[in-house]
Amino acid sequence: MQQLAAELEQAQVGAVRLGESLAPHTTWKIGGPADIFIIPETREQLAIALRILNRHGVPWTTLGRGSNTLVSDKGVRGAVLKLGRGFDFVLFDEGTVRAGASYSFIKLSVMAGKEGLTGLEFAGGIPGSVGGAVYMNAGAHGSDVSCILKSADIVWEDGTLESCGKEEMGFAYRHSVLHERRGIVTEATFRLEKGDRKEIAATLATYKDRRLRTQPLQMACAGSVFRNPQGDHAARLVEAAGMKGAREGDAEVSLLHANFIVNHGVAKAEDVLTLMRRVQSAVEDQFGIRLVPEVLLMGER
């Protein structure tokens, strides 16, 4: 890995680190080290890094702002790419907004509101990055990314760059073409409508107040753990199955919101996984429904 790291550094692909602990890079504060951790600052650097990794046959994955992700205690073999500050930007132009993939999705909703643009209010309670939101087709309050996306710029696995329109993104519930074809979003453009700043701010404030009252955001967590089954809510099922407050080591099903698992301090990924399996079994035994994880599992098992 040292030879590969030297080649990446020589190619000037951004910061390159060996054995970087991933726990500080996740909102759960859980996870072992990455063999190689790369922070490109431009899409050209990202493309070069991917070409080098592919030429050496080194597996790679991406990490955004660290929400919705559970990293293995054993860490990640191969490379982890995290987009740097060069991808942390936002630009408004008439009824559109262009944002870098590492820009906060929540912050984007707030900034759009200040510009008097409506359509992003649903993002006010969704943690993570713009790139992650596009990848997952993130949504809430009856809307999602597919409703407002105009285009997304992507660097594909082979290092080629492409701008994809909404119709090319293969959007479905919490799904995009990026689940089928490997690539990394570098920026996205959203089409919004003119709205009333006061009304937008009021809506965002309502969503924020509800989030603070109903979600354990002051604790280390990763957002919703399970997807909502059609016509129901995972939190309701988990609580009805008697799993609210269930604990495994320092990992606990939140007493505030049953579809969150919180880290009380030194929880391990294995604690969270064990607790998730217990929750799935309890819900399936009582309701015949197998909950599907919404969090992404990353690393060596």
Side-chain angles (χ1 to χ4, degrees), residues 45-68:
Q45 289 181 341
L46 174 60
I48 292 168
L50 288 177
R51 292 188 193 112
I52 291 173
L53 293 173
N54 288 332
R55 187 166 68 245
H56 287 272
V58 175
W60 59 268
T61 188
T62 58
L63 185 64
R65 300 180 75 87
S67 62
N68 201 47

Side-chain angles (χ1 to χ4, degrees), residues 43-58 60 81 154-164 178 181-184:
R43 61 182 186 178
E44 289 75 22
Q45 289 181 341
L46 174 60
I48 292 168
L50 288 177
R51 292 188 193 112
I52 291 173
L53 293 173
N54 288 332
R55 187 166 68 245
H56 287 272
V58 175
W60 59 268
L81 297 116
I154 298 171
V155 176
W156 296 110
E157 186 171 25
D158 61 0
T160 58
L161 285 65
E162 183 179 5
S163 182
C164 296
L178 292 160
R181 182 183 176 191
R182 300 204 76 201
I184 301 173

Side-chain angles (χ1 to χ4, degrees), residues 194-214:
K194 285 287 185 182
D196 183 273
R197 284 180 173 84
K198 290 183 178 179
E199 289 182 6
I200 296 169
T203 298
L204 287 171
T206 299
Y207 290 166
K208 181 179 180 179
D209 178 65
R210 182 187 306 168
R211 195 167 70 250
L212 291 173
R213 285 187 291 103
T214 61

Side-chain angles (χ1 to χ4, degrees), residues 21 30 62 102-103 118 144 154 156 217 221 246 254 275 279 301:
S21 172
I30 292 173
T62 58
S102 64
Y103 198 78
T118 184
D144 58 29
I154 298 171
W156 296 110
L217 301 179
C221 61
S254 171
L275 192 52
V279 168
R301 294 284 170 251

Side-chain angles (χ1 to χ4, degrees), residues 39-41 63-66 82-90 99-107 128-133 184-188:
I39 310 177
E41 297 294 341
L63 185 64
R65 300 180 75 87
K82 181 174 182 176
L83 302 185
R85 293 181 181 178
F87 298 92
D88 188 15
F89 67 86
V90 61
S102 64
Y103 198 78
S104 163
F105 202 40
I106 289 178
K107 187 177 179 181
S129 65
V130 167
I184 301 173
V185 176
T186 59
E187 63 180 66

Side-chain angles (χ1 to χ4, degrees), residues 168-179:
E168 300 169 276
M169 290 302 298
F171 285 129
Y173 178 71
R174 303 298 176 265
H175 178 88
S176 74
V177 70
L178 292 160
H179 288 75

Side-chain angles (χ1 to χ4, degrees), residues 6-23:
E7 182 177 343
L8 288 164
E9 287 176 340
Q10 187 175 8
Q12 298 182 333
V13 299
V16 179
R17 304 172 188 165
L18 291 171
E20 176 86 359
S21 172
L22 297 179

